[in-house]
Amino acid sequence: MKTMTALAFCVLSAAWAAPALANGAAVGAAAPDFTLTDVDGKTHKLADHKGKLVVLEWFNPDCPFVRNSHTKGSLVGTAKKLGGKGVVWLAVNSAAPGKQGGGVERNKEARKQYGLENPILLDEKGEVGKTYGATNTPHMYVIDKDGKLVYRGAIDNSPDGEGKSPQGGKLVNYVEAALEDVTAGRPVRTAETRAYGCGVKYSN
Amino acid sequence: MRRQVLQLTLLLGVAAGSTHAGEGAGAARVEKPQYVVTLTPTGEARKGADAAFDVKLEARGTFHVNADYPTSFRVNAAGPVRYPKAKIDKASGLTNEPCSKKPDDACAVKARVPFVADTAGDHTVGGVLAFSVCDDEQCLIEKVPITLAVSVR
């Protein structure tokens, strides 16, 4: 009886402690390595950026939330600004072939459309997206210089994408806040939020 | 002949413009393949007295309401019509209705919008509904202006 109780307790504890988001990209753990090709045919390996702060932005140019964020909201000029401070910014598009916003040509156009200078990596099989548990576009991940995931979630607290409806009244750019905390050597104060936006256009 | 044409024109005009608060005669409606937005009067409107209309968004087909988006209805305050609330959102009375087949999703949102008309006569009430609807293939973010003609006694 005691053994059964102990076993039940272990099972329940394991279930309770399970991370809310699946597939290995947990805050506080090593960010899963990956190799993807960008729209110019160049290969990018996450591990090559160890020693630098990295931001991953799940991206889809035809998602109206991505459009809003890149034209009116918290992503306007953000990648370029942070790039100037040594942050590596990688956009990842996990749309399957034939899905909205996918493909090399559309994403090359999107670079011009949104004035992007950062690479846009194509993850057409969705393997990297699913490994990271990316559910929306935009969905943001911040990785510290040791390769540890320190933030995952929304770009900010205004789920209209325009920055006009901040929850709590004050607009917070969670990515910039996380980078500030990491740079200051303190724990990231908001390490996890719920991403908003369109669903990632996986194949299934 | 001219008189008959005039009378017919008048009758057709009345039939087309029949949206009155208090008579249940009609509702304003904006319809797209992905959604329908309606304004419906809730009862009689009298000069200087509280009145209201309902605003409702219904997702259509494969679409559902994006519950993360800050859905809101902003009134068009103009002329002799006053609104106690300039904006109605989740915090101030906007509610979701679940989808029948997928109760975790919302398939409609609605709110009651109070107003007071300071003068009798024909007035226009309404505003802009901001919302997002999505399905597996795409999301839309819309800001739909919609108005309702009301007769205030």
mmCIF file of all heavy atoms in Angstrom, chain A residues 64-65 68 99-100 159-160 162 165 194-199 201, chain B residues 66 68-70 74 87 132 134-141 143:
data_model
loop_
_atom_site.group_PDB
_atom_site.id
_atom_site.type_symbol
_atom_site.label_atom_id
_atom_site.label_comp_id
_atom_site.label_asym_id
_atom_site.label_seq_id
_atom_site.Cartn_x
_atom_site.Cartn_y
_atom_site.Cartn_z
ATOM 1 N N PRO A 64 -1.178 38.964 -40.373
ATOM 2 C CA PRO A 64 -1.427 40.375 -40.084
ATOM 3 C C PRO A 64 -0.801 40.843 -38.771
ATOM 4 O O PRO A 64 -0.501 42.034 -38.626
ATOM 5 C CB PRO A 64 -2.956 40.470 -40.022
ATOM 6 C CG PRO A 64 -3.439 39.083 -39.842
ATOM 7 C CD PRO A 64 -2.431 38.188 -40.455
ATOM 8 N N PHE A 65 -0.563 39.938 -37.838
ATOM 9 C CA PHE A 65 0.095 40.339 -36.591
ATOM 10 C C PHE A 65 1.573 40.633 -36.852
ATOM 11 O O PHE A 65 2.147 41.575 -36.286
ATOM 12 C CB PHE A 65 -0.057 39.245 -35.531
ATOM 13 C CG PHE A 65 -1.474 39.085 -35.058
ATOM 14 C CD1 PHE A 65 -2.343 38.216 -35.703
ATOM 15 C CD2 PHE A 65 -1.952 39.825 -33.994
ATOM 16 C CE1 PHE A 65 -3.661 38.083 -35.299
ATOM 17 C CE2 PHE A 65 -3.273 39.702 -33.577
ATOM 18 C CZ PHE A 65 -4.131 38.824 -34.227
ATOM 19 N N ASN A 68 1.583 43.953 -38.670
ATOM 20 C CA ASN A 68 1.380 45.062 -37.730
ATOM 21 C C ASN A 68 2.633 45.340 -36.921
ATOM 22 O O ASN A 68 3.050 46.491 -36.749
ATOM 23 C CB ASN A 68 0.232 44.750 -36.758
ATOM 24 C CG ASN A 68 -1.130 45.037 -37.360
ATOM 25 O OD1 ASN A 68 -1.226 45.553 -38.470
ATOM 26 N ND2 ASN A 68 -2.177 44.700 -36.630
ATOM 27 N N LYS A 99 1.861 26.703 -48.081
ATOM 28 C CA LYS A 99 1.084 27.388 -47.030
ATOM 29 C C LYS A 99 1.306 28.898 -47.120
ATOM 30 O O LYS A 99 2.316 29.373 -47.660
ATOM 31 C CB LYS A 99 1.512 26.898 -45.645
ATOM 32 C CG LYS A 99 1.152 25.446 -45.367
ATOM 33 C CD LYS A 99 -0.253 25.311 -44.890
ATOM 34 C CE LYS A 99 -0.533 23.910 -44.402
ATOM 35 N NZ LYS A 99 -1.841 23.802 -43.770
ATOM 36 N N GLN A 100 0.376 29.608 -46.550
ATOM 37 C CA GLN A 100 0.434 31.067 -46.564
ATOM 38 C C GLN A 100 1.773 31.576 -46.049
ATOM 39 O O GLN A 100 2.232 31.163 -44.978
ATOM 40 C CB GLN A 100 -0.702 31.611 -45.690
ATOM 41 C CG GLN A 100 -0.824 33.124 -45.717
ATOM 42 C CD GLN A 100 -1.692 33.655 -44.583
ATOM 43 O OE1 GLN A 100 -1.519 33.299 -43.427
ATOM 44 N NE2 GLN A 100 -2.626 34.517 -44.926
ATOM 45 N N PRO A 159 -1.453 42.582 -27.703
ATOM 46 C CA PRO A 159 -1.794 41.526 -28.649
ATOM 47 C C PRO A 159 -2.545 41.979 -29.902
ATOM 48 O O PRO A 159 -3.037 41.144 -30.651
ATOM 49 C CB PRO A 159 -2.652 40.561 -27.809
ATOM 50 C CG PRO A 159 -3.131 41.335 -26.653
ATOM 51 C CD PRO A 159 -2.142 42.424 -26.414
ATOM 52 N N ASP A 160 -2.564 43.289 -30.155
ATOM 53 C CA ASP A 160 -3.052 43.739 -31.462
ATOM 54 C C ASP A 160 -1.889 43.823 -32.452
ATOM 55 O O ASP A 160 -2.090 44.072 -33.634
ATOM 56 C CB ASP A 160 -3.757 45.095 -31.347
ATOM 57 C CG ASP A 160 -2.871 46.190 -30.768
ATOM 58 O OD1 ASP A 160 -1.694 45.920 -30.458
ATOM 59 O OD2 ASP A 160 -3.355 47.325 -30.629
ATOM 60 N N GLU A 162 0.042 46.134 -32.812
ATOM 61 C CA GLU A 162 0.339 47.540 -33.147
ATOM 62 C C GLU A 162 0.945 48.306 -31.985
ATOM 63 O O GLU A 162 1.354 49.448 -32.157
ATOM 64 C CB GLU A 162 -0.963 48.258 -33.551
ATOM 65 C CG GLU A 162 -1.609 47.697 -34.799
ATOM 66 C CD GLU A 162 -2.880 48.459 -35.166
ATOM 67 O OE1 GLU A 162 -2.929 49.692 -34.990
ATOM 68 O OE2 GLU A 162 -3.832 47.818 -35.612
ATOM 69 N N SER A 165 -2.616 48.468 -27.591
ATOM 70 C CA SER A 165 -3.475 47.892 -26.537
ATOM 71 C C SER A 165 -2.645 47.163 -25.497
ATOM 72 O O SER A 165 -2.852 45.969 -25.239
ATOM 73 C CB SER A 165 -4.483 46.909 -27.158
ATOM 74 O OG SER A 165 -5.271 47.539 -28.118
ATOM 75 N N ARG A 194 2.818 34.230 -22.999
ATOM 76 C CA ARG A 194 2.044 33.532 -24.017
ATOM 77 C C ARG A 194 2.157 34.316 -25.321
ATOM 78 O O ARG A 194 1.865 35.516 -25.364
ATOM 79 C CB ARG A 194 0.594 33.476 -23.556
ATOM 80 C CG ARG A 194 -0.370 32.789 -24.497
ATOM 81 C CD ARG A 194 -1.781 32.969 -23.952
ATOM 82 N NE ARG A 194 -2.759 32.823 -24.989
ATOM 83 C CZ ARG A 194 -3.426 31.708 -25.235
ATOM 84 N NH1 ARG A 194 -3.216 30.644 -24.497
ATOM 85 N NH2 ARG A 194 -4.303 31.652 -26.211
ATOM 86 N N ALA A 195 2.603 33.650 -26.366
ATOM 87 C CA ALA A 195 2.725 34.346 -27.656
ATOM 88 C C ALA A 195 1.334 34.579 -28.238
ATOM 89 O O ALA A 195 0.408 33.818 -27.999
ATOM 90 C CB ALA A 195 3.559 33.510 -28.625
ATOM 91 N N TYR A 196 1.201 35.663 -28.989
ATOM 92 C CA TYR A 196 -0.063 35.920 -29.702
ATOM 93 C C TYR A 196 0.260 36.007 -31.191
ATOM 94 O O TYR A 196 1.416 36.195 -31.578
ATOM 95 C CB TYR A 196 -0.708 37.215 -29.201
ATOM 96 C CG TYR A 196 0.100 38.477 -29.467
ATOM 97 C CD1 TYR A 196 0.117 39.080 -30.723
ATOM 98 C CD2 TYR A 196 0.856 39.068 -28.461
ATOM 99 C CE1 TYR A 196 0.866 40.218 -30.966
ATOM 100 C CE2 TYR A 196 1.607 40.214 -28.697
ATOM 101 C CZ TYR A 196 1.605 40.773 -29.937
ATOM 102 O OH TYR A 196 2.341 41.913 -30.174
ATOM 103 N N GLY A 197 -0.769 35.918 -32.007
ATOM 104 C CA GLY A 197 -0.559 36.057 -33.446
ATOM 105 C C GLY A 197 -1.222 34.932 -34.200
ATOM 106 O O GLY A 197 -2.081 34.228 -33.682
ATOM 107 N N CYS A 198 -0.828 34.763 -35.435
ATOM 108 C CA CYS A 198 -1.370 33.699 -36.279
ATOM 109 C C CYS A 198 -0.737 32.368 -35.871
ATOM 110 O O CYS A 198 0.356 32.351 -35.296
ATOM 111 C CB CYS A 198 -1.011 33.940 -37.751
ATOM 112 S SG CYS A 198 -1.445 35.587 -38.337
ATOM 113 N N GLY A 199 -1.405 31.286 -36.185
ATOM 114 C CA GLY A 199 -0.793 29.988 -35.952
ATOM 115 C C GLY A 199 0.339 29.747 -36.939
ATOM 116 O O GLY A 199 0.279 30.202 -38.085
ATOM 117 N N LYS A 201 2.210 27.946 -39.713
ATOM 118 C CA LYS A 201 1.603 27.162 -40.799
ATOM 119 C C LYS A 201 2.367 25.868 -41.053
ATOM 120 O O LYS A 201 2.947 25.640 -42.123
ATOM 121 C CB LYS A 201 1.508 28.008 -42.076
ATOM 122 C CG LYS A 201 0.680 29.284 -41.890
ATOM 123 C CD LYS A 201 -0.769 28.969 -41.588
ATOM 124 C CE LYS A 201 -1.616 30.221 -41.430
ATOM 125 N NZ LYS A 201 -1.564 30.802 -40.073
ATOM 126 N N ASN B 66 -10.398 35.205 -32.737
ATOM 127 C CA ASN B 66 -9.099 35.145 -32.096
ATOM 128 C C ASN B 66 -9.235 35.794 -30.718
ATOM 129 O O ASN B 66 -9.296 37.012 -30.589
ATOM 130 C CB ASN B 66 -8.071 35.901 -32.952
ATOM 131 C CG ASN B 66 -6.671 35.832 -32.395
ATOM 132 O OD1 ASN B 66 -6.474 35.600 -31.202
ATOM 133 N ND2 ASN B 66 -5.695 36.044 -33.252
ATOM 134 N N ASP B 68 -7.234 36.072 -28.336
ATOM 135 C CA ASP B 68 -6.088 36.821 -27.805
ATOM 136 C C ASP B 68 -6.123 38.281 -28.249
ATOM 137 O O ASP B 68 -5.532 39.140 -27.617
ATOM 138 C CB ASP B 68 -4.764 36.199 -28.284
ATOM 139 C CG ASP B 68 -4.498 34.877 -27.613
ATOM 140 O OD1 ASP B 68 -4.974 34.675 -26.483
ATOM 141 O OD2 ASP B 68 -3.800 34.038 -28.217
ATOM 142 N N TYR B 69 -6.781 38.532 -29.363
ATOM 143 C CA TYR B 69 -6.802 39.893 -29.891
ATOM 144 C C TYR B 69 -7.686 40.763 -29.001
ATOM 145 O O TYR B 69 -8.733 40.314 -28.565
ATOM 146 C CB TYR B 69 -7.334 39.887 -31.327
ATOM 147 C CG TYR B 69 -7.265 41.252 -31.972
ATOM 148 C CD1 TYR B 69 -6.112 41.669 -32.626
ATOM 149 C CD2 TYR B 69 -8.339 42.138 -31.885
ATOM 150 C CE1 TYR B 69 -6.042 42.926 -33.201
ATOM 151 C CE2 TYR B 69 -8.264 43.392 -32.444
ATOM 152 C CZ TYR B 69 -7.121 43.785 -33.105
ATOM 153 O OH TYR B 69 -7.038 45.032 -33.657
ATOM 154 N N PRO B 70 -7.276 42.015 -28.733
ATOM 155 C CA PRO B 70 -8.081 42.878 -27.857
ATOM 156 C C PRO B 70 -9.310 43.436 -28.579
ATOM 157 O O PRO B 70 -9.346 44.600 -28.982
ATOM 158 C CB PRO B 70 -7.095 43.995 -27.484
ATOM 159 C CG PRO B 70 -6.112 44.042 -28.607
ATOM 160 C CD PRO B 70 -5.985 42.636 -29.113
ATOM 161 N N ARG B 74 -15.546 50.770 -30.484
ATOM 162 C CA ARG B 74 -15.398 52.195 -30.180
ATOM 163 C C ARG B 74 -16.577 52.932 -30.802
ATOM 164 O O ARG B 74 -16.804 52.808 -32.004
ATOM 165 C CB ARG B 74 -14.104 52.743 -30.781
ATOM 166 C CG ARG B 74 -12.881 52.409 -29.999
ATOM 167 C CD ARG B 74 -11.661 53.175 -30.491
ATOM 168 N NE ARG B 74 -10.466 52.708 -29.823
ATOM 169 C CZ ARG B 74 -10.041 53.165 -28.659
ATOM 170 N NH1 ARG B 74 -10.687 54.122 -28.046
ATOM 171 N NH2 ARG B 74 -8.947 52.676 -28.115
ATOM 172 N N LYS B 87 -15.642 53.169 -25.219
ATOM 173 C CA LYS B 87 -15.062 51.947 -25.766
ATOM 174 C C LYS B 87 -15.540 50.776 -24.906
ATOM 175 O O LYS B 87 -15.565 50.859 -23.683
ATOM 176 C CB LYS B 87 -13.532 52.025 -25.713
ATOM 177 C CG LYS B 87 -12.836 50.789 -26.255
ATOM 178 C CD LYS B 87 -11.331 50.970 -26.280
ATOM 179 C CE LYS B 87 -10.639 49.944 -25.428
ATOM 180 N NZ LYS B 87 -9.179 49.964 -25.545
ATOM 181 N N SER B 132 -10.218 40.139 -34.538
ATOM 182 C CA SER B 132 -9.458 39.239 -35.392
ATOM 183 C C SER B 132 -10.188 37.903 -35.461
ATOM 184 O O SER B 132 -10.700 37.421 -34.445
ATOM 185 C CB SER B 132 -8.039 39.040 -34.828
ATOM 186 O OG SER B 132 -7.342 38.049 -35.562
ATOM 187 N N CYS B 134 -9.620 33.925 -37.221
ATOM 188 C CA CYS B 134 -8.590 33.068 -37.793
ATOM 189 C C CYS B 134 -9.160 31.708 -38.150
ATOM 190 O O CYS B 134 -10.154 31.259 -37.549
ATOM 191 C CB CYS B 134 -7.466 32.817 -36.781
ATOM 192 S SG CYS B 134 -6.568 34.256 -36.203
ATOM 193 N N ASP B 135 -8.507 31.070 -39.106
ATOM 194 C CA ASP B 135 -8.683 29.638 -39.255
ATOM 195 C C ASP B 135 -7.292 29.037 -39.410
ATOM 196 O O ASP B 135 -6.296 29.731 -39.180
ATOM 197 C CB ASP B 135 -9.646 29.285 -40.387
ATOM 198 C CG ASP B 135 -9.093 29.543 -41.787
ATOM 199 O OD1 ASP B 135 -7.939 29.991 -41.923
ATOM 200 O OD2 ASP B 135 -9.835 29.289 -42.747
ATOM 201 N N ASP B 136 -7.206 27.778 -39.792
ATOM 202 C CA ASP B 136 -5.889 27.136 -39.852
ATOM 203 C C ASP B 136 -4.993 27.754 -40.928
ATOM 204 O O ASP B 136 -3.788 27.596 -40.885
ATOM 205 C CB ASP B 136 -6.047 25.635 -40.142
ATOM 206 C CG ASP B 136 -6.617 24.896 -38.942
ATOM 207 O OD1 ASP B 136 -6.606 25.456 -37.832
ATOM 208 O OD2 ASP B 136 -7.090 23.755 -39.129
ATOM 209 N N GLU B 137 -5.601 28.408 -41.895
ATOM 210 C CA GLU B 137 -4.812 28.927 -43.022
ATOM 211 C C GLU B 137 -4.435 30.388 -42.881
ATOM 212 O O GLU B 137 -3.445 30.825 -43.450
ATOM 213 C CB GLU B 137 -5.603 28.748 -44.332
ATOM 214 C CG GLU B 137 -5.931 27.293 -44.650
ATOM 215 C CD GLU B 137 -4.692 26.427 -44.759
ATOM 216 O OE1 GLU B 137 -3.699 26.860 -45.382
ATOM 217 O OE2 GLU B 137 -4.680 25.312 -44.199
ATOM 218 N N GLN B 138 -5.232 31.168 -42.176
ATOM 219 C CA GLN B 138 -4.948 32.597 -42.114
ATOM 220 C C GLN B 138 -5.677 33.258 -40.948
ATOM 221 O O GLN B 138 -6.618 32.700 -40.390
ATOM 222 C CB GLN B 138 -5.398 33.284 -43.407
ATOM 223 C CG GLN B 138 -6.896 33.174 -43.667
ATOM 224 C CD GLN B 138 -7.337 33.971 -44.877
ATOM 225 O OE1 GLN B 138 -7.028 35.153 -44.987
ATOM 226 N NE2 GLN B 138 -8.067 33.342 -45.767
ATOM 227 N N CYS B 139 -5.192 34.443 -40.620
ATOM 228 C CA CYS B 139 -5.881 35.308 -39.663
ATOM 229 C C CYS B 139 -6.215 36.608 -40.368
ATOM 230 O O CYS B 139 -5.485 37.040 -41.265
ATOM 231 C CB CYS B 139 -4.987 35.658 -38.466
ATOM 232 S SG CYS B 139 -4.806 34.365 -37.239
ATOM 233 N N LEU B 140 -7.300 37.199 -39.940
ATOM 234 C CA LEU B 140 -7.638 38.554 -40.395
ATOM 235 C C LEU B 140 -7.711 39.453 -39.175
ATOM 236 O O LEU B 140 -8.176 39.025 -38.125
ATOM 237 C CB LEU B 140 -9.009 38.575 -41.080
ATOM 238 C CG LEU B 140 -9.254 37.621 -42.244
ATOM 239 C CD1 LEU B 140 -10.692 37.744 -42.725
ATOM 240 C CD2 LEU B 140 -8.298 37.946 -43.374
ATOM 241 N N ILE B 141 -7.236 40.673 -39.330
ATOM 242 C CA ILE B 141 -7.472 41.695 -38.305
ATOM 243 C C ILE B 141 -8.331 42.748 -38.992
ATOM 244 O O ILE B 141 -7.943 43.285 -40.022
ATOM 245 C CB ILE B 141 -6.156 42.319 -37.798
ATOM 246 C CG1 ILE B 141 -5.299 41.265 -37.098
ATOM 247 C CG2 ILE B 141 -6.451 43.472 -36.849
ATOM 248 C CD1 ILE B 141 -3.954 41.787 -36.625
ATOM 249 N N LYS B 143 -11.154 46.169 -38.782
ATOM 250 C CA LYS B 143 -11.766 47.294 -38.044
ATOM 251 C C LYS B 143 -12.978 47.686 -38.878
ATOM 252 O O LYS B 143 -12.830 48.313 -39.925
ATOM 253 C CB LYS B 143 -10.760 48.438 -37.882
ATOM 254 C CG LYS B 143 -9.622 48.013 -36.977
ATOM 255 C CD LYS B 143 -8.600 49.089 -36.710
ATOM 256 C CE LYS B 143 -7.469 48.482 -35.876
ATOM 257 N NZ LYS B 143 -6.393 49.391 -35.591
#
